């Protein structure tokens, strides 16, 4: 009989890797036995965007474990110590690790955890009445009482442009890609006569900056298109950062669906913008190139939606709409980088157990306070798939350890790692002490 694990973790991005680190002491003590199944052959964090000087957007304390257990052997500081980088990091005096460094840190942790199985894509999940039965791409079967689904988000591609990405570039001189695959195609893009970046977030800005810096050596025409009214910076002020807190997540989850959806549109600048430093670095680079006489052949346009596109045999012909002037216009480009973000999906492998999962009216997971999504409660948990319920906390590395502490408490029935109830100075919603209960004055 196949062994029944206490849980199977599906996918090994930073969030389930953090869970593997935090549950390792429980696995060693025999309290909680989990196994993690990852499709890739080794840990790799956004390999297409590991640009040399890119850093994390959150401080190093947002590592896999520290916010839950500062004494953990899996901390970023311990990785620095073991890899001999602690003093250089100390001298560097920056809270923000390089993205490459974070990727290496996660691999350092993953390679030391016996609970991880690489090269296993989960293809099917069933329930045999007693446990979940997970089948992998190798035909192996894992049984477990619970699941933790941490498969991350998938590149979002505008429907009207999907055919351009699906077409195999083959011997085409041109290339269209999502920013998730940027580094794999960087050199090819630089050999083209024209490149266009579409998007308003950090990835779009990083790709544009990278191509702009190389443009004097290659001479391509570089265009940056965004639907946003401006190239807006991410907001980092401290009282706003307090919204990345357990109590804001709990408050947001209690709001009506329509209100949450309105907030998702209105809160874009909180976590979908560009770091202020990078916005300025792009402007400064323009100035330097202009002074050095290498004024780049580049165009930056806001308020512009890409409404269609086709391959015309030698380039991509894009249909554009200016959302303020109402004008329709177009652009031909040989290279196209869609930095159009990522979206969570309900994976097909869960279809056989669909009836055990709670869904909201939009077909998304209906996520409970403890991140479980199953009708029974406490059987199927999700990581980074709850932005529509818990808001901007979902993809934030700084909240990964907190979410894992909640999930571990739900699986063990005890608070193995303290779960903070309140961290913000402000109150979200009506403060209890100001709530009016006397019907005579309510609503006055
Ligand atoms: C370029 C980039 C930079 C970012 N930088 C930051 C930052 O600095 N700070 C921050 O707070 N957030 C950042 N984010 C947001 C977020 O933290 C990251 O996206 C993070 O990687 C999400 O982690 P995850 O564990 O949800 O999933 P992912 O990292 O997406 O990992 C999911 C894993 O699941 C595996 N998988 C998928 N399907 C299956 C399957 N069927 N079977 C088995 N395995 C499967 C995949 O191979 C993958 O390894 C960044 C996002 C991007 C794209």
């Amino acid at each position: 009989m196949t062994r029944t694990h206490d849980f199977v973790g599906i996918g090994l991005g930073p969030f389930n890797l953090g869970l593997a680190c935090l549950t390792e002491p429980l696995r060693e003590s025999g309290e909680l036995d989990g196994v993690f199944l990852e499709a890739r052959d080794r840990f790799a964090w956004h390999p297409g965007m590991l640009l040399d000087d890119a850093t994390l957007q959150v401080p190093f304390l947002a590592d896999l474990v520290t916010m839950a257990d500062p004494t953990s052997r899996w901390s970023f500081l311990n990785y620095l110590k073991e890899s001999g980088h602690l003093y250089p990091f100390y001298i560097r005096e920056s809270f923000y690790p390089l993205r490459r460094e974070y990727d290496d840190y996660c691999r350092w942790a993953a390679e030391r955890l016996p609970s991880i199985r690489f090269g296993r894509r989960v293809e099917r999940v069933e329930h045999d009445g007693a446990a979940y039965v997970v089948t992998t791409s190798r035909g192996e079967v894992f049984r477990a009482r619970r699941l933790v689904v941490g498969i991350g988000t998938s590149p979002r591609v505008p429907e009207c442009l999907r055919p351009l990405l699906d077409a195999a570039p083959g011997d085409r001189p041109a290339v269209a890609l999502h920013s998730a695959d940027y580094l794999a195609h960087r050199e090819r893009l630089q050999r083209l006569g024209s490149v266009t970046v579409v998007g308003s977030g950090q990835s779009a800005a990083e790709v544009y900056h990278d191509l702009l810096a190389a443009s004097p050596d290659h001479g391509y025409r570089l265009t940056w298109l965004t639907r946003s009214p401006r190239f807006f910076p991410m907001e980092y002020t401290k009282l706003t950062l307090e919204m990345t807190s357990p109590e804001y997540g709990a408050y947001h989850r209690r709001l009506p669906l329509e209100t949450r959806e309105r907030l998702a549109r209105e809160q874009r600048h909180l976590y979908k913008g560009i770091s202020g430093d990078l916005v300025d670095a792009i402007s400064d680079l323009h100035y330097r190139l202009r002074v050095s006489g290498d004024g780049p052949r580049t165009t930056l346009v806001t308020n512009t939606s890409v409404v269609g596109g086709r391959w015309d045999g030698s380039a991509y012909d894009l249909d554009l709409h200016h959302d303020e002037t109402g004008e329709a216009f177009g652009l031909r480009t040989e290279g196209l980088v869609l930095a159009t973000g990522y979206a969570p999906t309900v994976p097909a492998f869960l279809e056989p157990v669909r009836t055990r999962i709670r869904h909201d009216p939009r077909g998304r997971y209906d996520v409970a306070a403890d991140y479980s999504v199953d009708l029974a409660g406490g059987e199927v948990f999700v990581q980074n798939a709850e932005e529509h319920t818990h808001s901007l906390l979902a993809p934030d590395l700084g909240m990964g350890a907190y979410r894992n502490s909640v999930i571990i408490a739900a699986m063990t029935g005890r608070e193995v790692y303290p779960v903070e109830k309140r961290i913000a100075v402000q109150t979200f919603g009506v403060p209890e002490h100001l709530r009016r209960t006397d019907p005579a004055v309510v609503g006055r």
Side-chain angles (χ1 to χ4, degrees), residues 317-346:
D317 192 4
L318 303 181
D319 302 328
L320 308 175
H321 179 264
H322 198 284
D323 301 333
E324 278 186 355
T325 68
E327 284 167 88
F329 61 115
L331 170 77
R332 291 184 74 250
T333 184
E334 291 171 20
L336 180 61
V337 183
L338 299 178
T340 41
Y342 299 77
T345 51
V346 176

PDB file of all heavy atoms in Angstrom, residues 317-346:
ATOM      1  N   ASP A 317       2.857  43.397 -37.043  1.00  0.00           N
ATOM      2  CA  ASP A 317       2.139  44.637 -37.333  1.00  0.00           C
ATOM      3  C   ASP A 317       1.091  44.808 -36.228  1.00  0.00           C
ATOM      4  O   ASP A 317       0.137  44.039 -36.149  1.00  0.00           O
ATOM      5  CB  ASP A 317       1.474  44.515 -38.704  1.00  0.00           C
ATOM      6  CG  ASP A 317       0.963  45.855 -39.184  1.00  0.00           C
ATOM      7  OD1 ASP A 317       1.216  46.846 -38.469  1.00  0.00           O
ATOM      8  OD2 ASP A 317       0.301  45.879 -40.247  1.00  0.00           O
ATOM      9  N   LEU A 318       1.317  45.769 -35.324  1.00  0.00           N
ATOM     10  CA  LEU A 318       0.443  45.930 -34.156  1.00  0.00           C
ATOM     11  C   LEU A 318      -0.617  47.002 -34.392  1.00  0.00           C
ATOM     12  O   LEU A 318      -0.308  48.068 -34.929  1.00  0.00           O
ATOM     13  CB  LEU A 318       1.284  46.307 -32.927  1.00  0.00           C
ATOM     14  CG  LEU A 318       2.407  45.348 -32.528  1.00  0.00           C
ATOM     15  CD1 LEU A 318       3.126  45.879 -31.275  1.00  0.00           C
ATOM     16  CD2 LEU A 318       1.881  43.940 -32.290  1.00  0.00           C
ATOM     17  N   ASP A 319      -1.853  46.706 -33.972  1.00  0.00           N
ATOM     18  CA  ASP A 319      -2.932  47.704 -33.992  1.00  0.00           C
ATOM     19  C   ASP A 319      -2.995  48.346 -32.608  1.00  0.00           C
ATOM     20  O   ASP A 319      -3.089  47.616 -31.597  1.00  0.00           O
ATOM     21  CB  ASP A 319      -4.277  47.053 -34.310  1.00  0.00           C
ATOM     22  CG  ASP A 319      -4.245  46.334 -35.655  1.00  0.00           C
ATOM     23  OD1 ASP A 319      -3.514  46.822 -36.548  1.00  0.00           O
ATOM     24  OD2 ASP A 319      -4.895  45.276 -35.774  1.00  0.00           O
ATOM     25  N   LEU A 320      -2.910  49.658 -32.559  1.00  0.00           N
ATOM     26  CA  LEU A 320      -2.855  50.351 -31.274  1.00  0.00           C
ATOM     27  C   LEU A 320      -4.020  51.331 -31.150  1.00  0.00           C
ATOM     28  O   LEU A 320      -4.564  51.794 -32.154  1.00  0.00           O
ATOM     29  CB  LEU A 320      -1.517  51.093 -31.144  1.00  0.00           C
ATOM     30  CG  LEU A 320      -0.258  50.245 -31.400  1.00  0.00           C
ATOM     31  CD1 LEU A 320       0.981  51.141 -31.366  1.00  0.00           C
ATOM     32  CD2 LEU A 320      -0.148  49.123 -30.386  1.00  0.00           C
ATOM     33  N   HIS A 321      -4.388  51.648 -29.907  1.00  0.00           N
ATOM     34  CA  HIS A 321      -5.443  52.633 -29.657  1.00  0.00           C
ATOM     35  C   HIS A 321      -4.986  53.567 -28.554  1.00  0.00           C
ATOM     36  O   HIS A 321      -4.536  53.107 -27.489  1.00  0.00           O
ATOM     37  CB  HIS A 321      -6.735  51.928 -29.222  1.00  0.00           C
ATOM     38  CG  HIS A 321      -7.849  52.879 -28.925  1.00  0.00           C
ATOM     39  ND1 HIS A 321      -8.127  53.322 -27.641  1.00  0.00           N
ATOM     40  CD2 HIS A 321      -8.730  53.513 -29.747  1.00  0.00           C
ATOM     41  CE1 HIS A 321      -9.150  54.170 -27.684  1.00  0.00           C
ATOM     42  NE2 HIS A 321      -9.529  54.309 -28.942  1.00  0.00           N
ATOM     43  N   HIS A 322      -5.042  54.867 -28.827  1.00  0.00           N
ATOM     44  CA  HIS A 322      -4.670  55.819 -27.784  1.00  0.00           C
ATOM     45  C   HIS A 322      -5.905  56.092 -26.935  1.00  0.00           C
ATOM     46  O   HIS A 322      -6.907  56.632 -27.432  1.00  0.00           O
ATOM     47  CB  HIS A 322      -4.135  57.125 -28.388  1.00  0.00           C
ATOM     48  CG  HIS A 322      -3.360  57.920 -27.383  1.00  0.00           C
ATOM     49  ND1 HIS A 322      -3.995  58.636 -26.383  1.00  0.00           N
ATOM     50  CD2 HIS A 322      -2.030  58.052 -27.184  1.00  0.00           C
ATOM     51  CE1 HIS A 322      -3.087  59.192 -25.614  1.00  0.00           C
ATOM     52  NE2 HIS A 322      -1.869  58.861 -26.078  1.00  0.00           N
ATOM     53  N   ASP A 323      -5.852  55.719 -25.673  1.00  0.00           N
ATOM     54  CA  ASP A 323      -7.070  55.730 -24.833  1.00  0.00           C
ATOM     55  C   ASP A 323      -7.482  57.129 -24.391  1.00  0.00           C
ATOM     56  O   ASP A 323      -8.562  57.303 -23.828  1.00  0.00           O
ATOM     57  CB  ASP A 323      -6.851  54.809 -23.612  1.00  0.00           C
ATOM     58  CG  ASP A 323      -6.550  53.381 -24.068  1.00  0.00           C
ATOM     59  OD1 ASP A 323      -7.003  53.012 -25.178  1.00  0.00           O
ATOM     60  OD2 ASP A 323      -5.792  52.667 -23.354  1.00  0.00           O
ATOM     61  N   GLU A 324      -6.653  58.140 -24.623  1.00  0.00           N
ATOM     62  CA  GLU A 324      -7.064  59.513 -24.277  1.00  0.00           C
ATOM     63  C   GLU A 324      -7.502  60.285 -25.521  1.00  0.00           C
ATOM     64  O   GLU A 324      -8.523  60.954 -25.512  1.00  0.00           O
ATOM     65  CB  GLU A 324      -5.930  60.233 -23.535  1.00  0.00           C
ATOM     66  CG  GLU A 324      -5.916  59.883 -22.044  1.00  0.00           C
ATOM     67  CD  GLU A 324      -4.898  60.672 -21.227  1.00  0.00           C
ATOM     68  OE1 GLU A 324      -4.118  61.449 -21.837  1.00  0.00           O
ATOM     69  OE2 GLU A 324      -4.877  60.492 -20.004  1.00  0.00           O
ATOM     70  N   THR A 325      -6.779  60.152 -26.615  1.00  0.00           N
ATOM     71  CA  THR A 325      -7.172  60.884 -27.827  1.00  0.00           C
ATOM     72  C   THR A 325      -8.197  60.093 -28.640  1.00  0.00           C
ATOM     73  O   THR A 325      -8.858  60.631 -29.515  1.00  0.00           O
ATOM     74  CB  THR A 325      -5.955  61.138 -28.734  1.00  0.00           C
ATOM     75  OG1 THR A 325      -5.528  59.870 -29.253  1.00  0.00           O
ATOM     76  CG2 THR A 325      -4.818  61.809 -27.988  1.00  0.00           C
ATOM     77  N   GLY A 326      -8.285  58.810 -28.367  1.00  0.00           N
ATOM     78  CA  GLY A 326      -9.246  57.960 -29.094  1.00  0.00           C
ATOM     79  C   GLY A 326      -8.743  57.542 -30.470  1.00  0.00           C
ATOM     80  O   GLY A 326      -9.442  56.858 -31.219  1.00  0.00           O
ATOM     81  N   GLU A 327      -7.498  57.927 -30.796  1.00  0.00           N
ATOM     82  CA  GLU A 327      -6.966  57.621 -32.138  1.00  0.00           C
ATOM     83  C   GLU A 327      -6.551  56.164 -32.267  1.00  0.00           C
ATOM     84  O   GLU A 327      -6.001  55.577 -31.317  1.00  0.00           O
ATOM     85  CB  GLU A 327      -5.725  58.470 -32.415  1.00  0.00           C
ATOM     86  CG  GLU A 327      -6.009  59.926 -32.761  1.00  0.00           C
ATOM     87  CD  GLU A 327      -4.720  60.727 -32.689  1.00  0.00           C
ATOM     88  OE1 GLU A 327      -4.000  60.790 -33.711  1.00  0.00           O
ATOM     89  OE2 GLU A 327      -4.401  61.186 -31.570  1.00  0.00           O
ATOM     90  N   ALA A 328      -6.777  55.621 -33.446  1.00  0.00           N
ATOM     91  CA  ALA A 328      -6.237  54.300 -33.780  1.00  0.00           C
ATOM     92  C   ALA A 328      -4.930  54.533 -34.530  1.00  0.00           C
ATOM     93  O   ALA A 328      -4.848  55.420 -35.374  1.00  0.00           O
ATOM     94  CB  ALA A 328      -7.225  53.533 -34.650  1.00  0.00           C
ATOM     95  N   PHE A 329      -3.904  53.767 -34.184  1.00  0.00           N
ATOM     96  CA  PHE A 329      -2.634  53.890 -34.926  1.00  0.00           C
ATOM     97  C   PHE A 329      -1.942  52.537 -34.930  1.00  0.00           C
ATOM     98  O   PHE A 329      -2.506  51.549 -34.432  1.00  0.00           O
ATOM     99  CB  PHE A 329      -1.763  55.011 -34.362  1.00  0.00           C
ATOM    100  CG  PHE A 329      -1.342  54.863 -32.912  1.00  0.00           C
ATOM    101  CD1 PHE A 329      -0.003  54.703 -32.573  1.00  0.00           C
ATOM    102  CD2 PHE A 329      -2.276  54.905 -31.879  1.00  0.00           C
ATOM    103  CE1 PHE A 329       0.403  54.602 -31.251  1.00  0.00           C
ATOM    104  CE2 PHE A 329      -1.880  54.789 -30.554  1.00  0.00           C
ATOM    105  CZ  PHE A 329      -0.543  54.637 -30.236  1.00  0.00           C
ATOM    106  N   GLY A 330      -0.757  52.487 -35.531  1.00  0.00           N
ATOM    107  CA  GLY A 330      -0.129  51.174 -35.648  1.00  0.00           C
ATOM    108  C   GLY A 330       1.374  51.238 -35.518  1.00  0.00           C
ATOM    109  O   GLY A 330       1.948  52.327 -35.432  1.00  0.00           O
ATOM    110  N   LEU A 331       1.985  50.054 -35.465  1.00  0.00           N
ATOM    111  CA  LEU A 331       3.445  49.985 -35.301  1.00  0.00           C
ATOM    112  C   LEU A 331       3.911  48.653 -35.856  1.00  0.00           C
ATOM    113  O   LEU A 331       3.290  47.623 -35.587  1.00  0.00           O
ATOM    114  CB  LEU A 331       3.755  50.052 -33.797  1.00  0.00           C
ATOM    115  CG  LEU A 331       5.169  49.780 -33.333  1.00  0.00           C
ATOM    116  CD1 LEU A 331       6.064  50.989 -33.605  1.00  0.00           C
ATOM    117  CD2 LEU A 331       5.181  49.477 -31.842  1.00  0.00           C
ATOM    118  N   ARG A 332       4.978  48.678 -36.652  1.00  0.00           N
ATOM    119  CA  ARG A 332       5.565  47.403 -37.103  1.00  0.00           C
ATOM    120  C   ARG A 332       6.848  47.190 -36.303  1.00  0.00           C
ATOM    121  O   ARG A 332       7.644  48.122 -36.121  1.00  0.00           O
ATOM    122  CB  ARG A 332       5.874  47.438 -38.601  1.00  0.00           C
ATOM    123  CG  ARG A 332       4.609  47.454 -39.455  1.00  0.00           C
ATOM    124  CD  ARG A 332       4.922  47.402 -40.954  1.00  0.00           C
ATOM    125  NE  ARG A 332       5.346  46.074 -41.363  1.00  0.00           N
ATOM    126  CZ  ARG A 332       6.605  45.778 -41.729  1.00  0.00           C
ATOM    127  NH1 ARG A 332       7.519  46.721 -41.730  1.00  0.00           N
ATOM    128  NH2 ARG A 332       6.931  44.545 -42.103  1.00  0.00           N
ATOM    129  N   THR A 333       7.016  45.981 -35.806  1.00  0.00           N
ATOM    130  CA  THR A 333       8.201  45.716 -34.985  1.00  0.00           C
ATOM    131  C   THR A 333       8.702  44.298 -35.242  1.00  0.00           C
ATOM    132  O   THR A 333       7.904  43.379 -35.424  1.00  0.00           O
ATOM    133  CB  THR A 333       7.883  45.917 -33.478  1.00  0.00           C
ATOM    134  OG1 THR A 333       9.063  45.744 -32.710  1.00  0.00           O
ATOM    135  CG2 THR A 333       6.814  44.947 -33.001  1.00  0.00           C
ATOM    136  N   GLU A 334      10.001  44.120 -35.228  1.00  0.00           N
ATOM    137  CA  GLU A 334      10.556  42.783 -35.461  1.00  0.00           C
ATOM    138  C   GLU A 334      10.635  41.995 -34.154  1.00  0.00           C
ATOM    139  O   GLU A 334      10.522  40.781 -34.122  1.00  0.00           O
ATOM    140  CB  GLU A 334      11.955  42.907 -36.076  1.00  0.00           C
ATOM    141  CG  GLU A 334      11.922  43.448 -37.505  1.00  0.00           C
ATOM    142  CD  GLU A 334      13.316  43.771 -38.004  1.00  0.00           C
ATOM    143  OE1 GLU A 334      14.282  43.244 -37.417  1.00  0.00           O
ATOM    144  OE2 GLU A 334      13.425  44.559 -38.950  1.00  0.00           O
ATOM    145  N   GLY A 335      10.839  42.752 -33.047  1.00  0.00           N
ATOM    146  CA  GLY A 335      10.878  42.082 -31.735  1.00  0.00           C
ATOM    147  C   GLY A 335       9.746  42.589 -30.868  1.00  0.00           C
ATOM    148  O   GLY A 335       9.437  43.784 -30.896  1.00  0.00           O
ATOM    149  N   LEU A 336       9.099  41.677 -30.137  1.00  0.00           N
ATOM    150  CA  LEU A 336       7.965  42.074 -29.291  1.00  0.00           C
ATOM    151  C   LEU A 336       8.109  41.396 -27.928  1.00  0.00           C
ATOM    152  O   LEU A 336       8.159  40.166 -27.854  1.00  0.00           O
ATOM    153  CB  LEU A 336       6.659  41.659 -29.960  1.00  0.00           C
ATOM    154  CG  LEU A 336       5.349  41.979 -29.226  1.00  0.00           C
ATOM    155  CD1 LEU A 336       5.191  43.480 -29.034  1.00  0.00           C
ATOM    156  CD2 LEU A 336       4.159  41.401 -29.991  1.00  0.00           C
ATOM    157  N   VAL A 337       8.233  42.198 -26.872  1.00  0.00           N
ATOM    158  CA  VAL A 337       8.325  41.654 -25.513  1.00  0.00           C
ATOM    159  C   VAL A 337       7.069  42.067 -24.749  1.00  0.00           C
ATOM    160  O   VAL A 337       6.839  43.259 -24.516  1.00  0.00           O
ATOM    161  CB  VAL A 337       9.573  42.169 -24.776  1.00  0.00           C
ATOM    162  CG1 VAL A 337       9.667  41.511 -23.394  1.00  0.00           C
ATOM    163  CG2 VAL A 337      10.837  41.927 -25.575  1.00  0.00           C
ATOM    164  N   LEU A 338       6.266  41.079 -24.398  1.00  0.00           N
ATOM    165  CA  LEU A 338       5.034  41.354 -23.647  1.00  0.00           C
ATOM    166  C   LEU A 338       5.321  41.219 -22.161  1.00  0.00           C
ATOM    167  O   LEU A 338       5.422  40.107 -21.635  1.00  0.00           O
ATOM    168  CB  LEU A 338       3.934  40.385 -24.078  1.00  0.00           C
ATOM    169  CG  LEU A 338       3.532  40.458 -25.553  1.00  0.00           C
ATOM    170  CD1 LEU A 338       2.473  39.424 -25.869  1.00  0.00           C
ATOM    171  CD2 LEU A 338       3.057  41.854 -25.915  1.00  0.00           C
ATOM    172  N   ALA A 339       5.500  42.362 -21.495  1.00  0.00           N
ATOM    173  CA  ALA A 339       5.688  42.355 -20.035  1.00  0.00           C
ATOM    174  C   ALA A 339       4.319  42.657 -19.429  1.00  0.00           C
ATOM    175  O   ALA A 339       4.092  43.672 -18.766  1.00  0.00           O
ATOM    176  CB  ALA A 339       6.723  43.402 -19.656  1.00  0.00           C
ATOM    177  N   THR A 340       3.381  41.742 -19.702  1.00  0.00           N
ATOM    178  CA  THR A 340       1.964  41.969 -19.394  1.00  0.00           C
ATOM    179  C   THR A 340       1.516  41.219 -18.144  1.00  0.00           C
ATOM    180  O   THR A 340       0.331  40.934 -17.977  1.00  0.00           O
ATOM    181  CB  THR A 340       1.123  41.563 -20.628  1.00  0.00           C
ATOM    182  OG1 THR A 340       1.668  40.346 -21.169  1.00  0.00           O
ATOM    183  CG2 THR A 340       1.181  42.630 -21.699  1.00  0.00           C
ATOM    184  N   GLY A 341       2.472  40.850 -17.307  1.00  0.00           N
ATOM    185  CA  GLY A 341       2.141  40.327 -15.982  1.00  0.00           C
ATOM    186  C   GLY A 341       1.856  38.842 -15.927  1.00  0.00           C
ATOM    187  O   GLY A 341       2.101  38.109 -16.898  1.00  0.00           O
ATOM    188  N   TYR A 342       1.326  38.446 -14.788  1.00  0.00           N
ATOM    189  CA  TYR A 342       1.074  37.036 -14.482  1.00  0.00           C
ATOM    190  C   TYR A 342      -0.308  36.903 -13.862  1.00  0.00           C
ATOM    191  O   TYR A 342      -0.840  37.867 -13.307  1.00  0.00           O
ATOM    192  CB  TYR A 342       2.125  36.529 -13.493  1.00  0.00           C
ATOM    193  CG  TYR A 342       3.540  36.603 -14.020  1.00  0.00           C
ATOM    194  CD1 TYR A 342       4.221  37.813 -14.067  1.00  0.00           C
ATOM    195  CD2 TYR A 342       4.184  35.463 -14.480  1.00  0.00           C
ATOM    196  CE1 TYR A 342       5.509  37.882 -14.573  1.00  0.00           C
ATOM    197  CE2 TYR A 342       5.481  35.522 -14.986  1.00  0.00           C
ATOM    198  CZ  TYR A 342       6.135  36.739 -15.029  1.00  0.00           C
ATOM    199  OH  TYR A 342       7.417  36.819 -15.540  1.00  0.00           O
ATOM    200  N   ALA A 343      -0.901  35.721 -13.984  1.00  0.00           N
ATOM    201  CA  ALA A 343      -2.232  35.508 -13.392  1.00  0.00           C
ATOM    202  C   ALA A 343      -2.294  34.122 -12.752  1.00  0.00           C
ATOM    203  O   ALA A 343      -1.726  33.170 -13.290  1.00  0.00           O
ATOM    204  CB  ALA A 343      -3.306  35.632 -14.471  1.00  0.00           C
ATOM    205  N   PRO A 344      -2.961  34.039 -11.574  1.00  0.00           N
ATOM    206  CA  PRO A 344      -3.121  32.715 -10.966  1.00  0.00           C
ATOM    207  C   PRO A 344      -4.131  31.896 -11.779  1.00  0.00           C
ATOM    208  O   PRO A 344      -5.001  32.462 -12.426  1.00  0.00           O
ATOM    209  CB  PRO A 344      -3.671  33.025  -9.574  1.00  0.00           C
ATOM    210  CG  PRO A 344      -4.286  34.365  -9.673  1.00  0.00           C
ATOM    211  CD  PRO A 344      -3.599  35.095 -10.800  1.00  0.00           C
ATOM    212  N   THR A 345      -3.963  30.592 -11.775  1.00  0.00           N
ATOM    213  CA  THR A 345      -4.930  29.739 -12.488  1.00  0.00           C
ATOM    214  C   THR A 345      -5.359  28.610 -11.552  1.00  0.00           C
ATOM    215  O   THR A 345      -4.603  28.221 -10.661  1.00  0.00           O
ATOM    216  CB  THR A 345      -4.253  29.096 -13.721  1.00  0.00           C
ATOM    217  OG1 THR A 345      -3.026  28.489 -13.257  1.00  0.00           O
ATOM    218  CG2 THR A 345      -3.929  30.128 -14.787  1.00  0.00           C
ATOM    219  N   VAL A 346      -6.576  28.080 -11.751  1.00  0.00           N
ATOM    220  CA  VAL A 346      -6.994  26.854 -11.057  1.00  0.00           C
ATOM    221  C   VAL A 346      -6.528  25.714 -11.956  1.00  0.00           C
ATOM    222  O   VAL A 346      -7.018  25.581 -13.069  1.00  0.00           O
ATOM    223  CB  VAL A 346      -8.520  26.805 -10.850  1.00  0.00           C
ATOM    224  CG1 VAL A 346      -8.929  25.469 -10.226  1.00  0.00           C
ATOM    225  CG2 VAL A 346      -8.977  27.959  -9.965  1.00  0.00           C
TER     226      VAL A 346
END
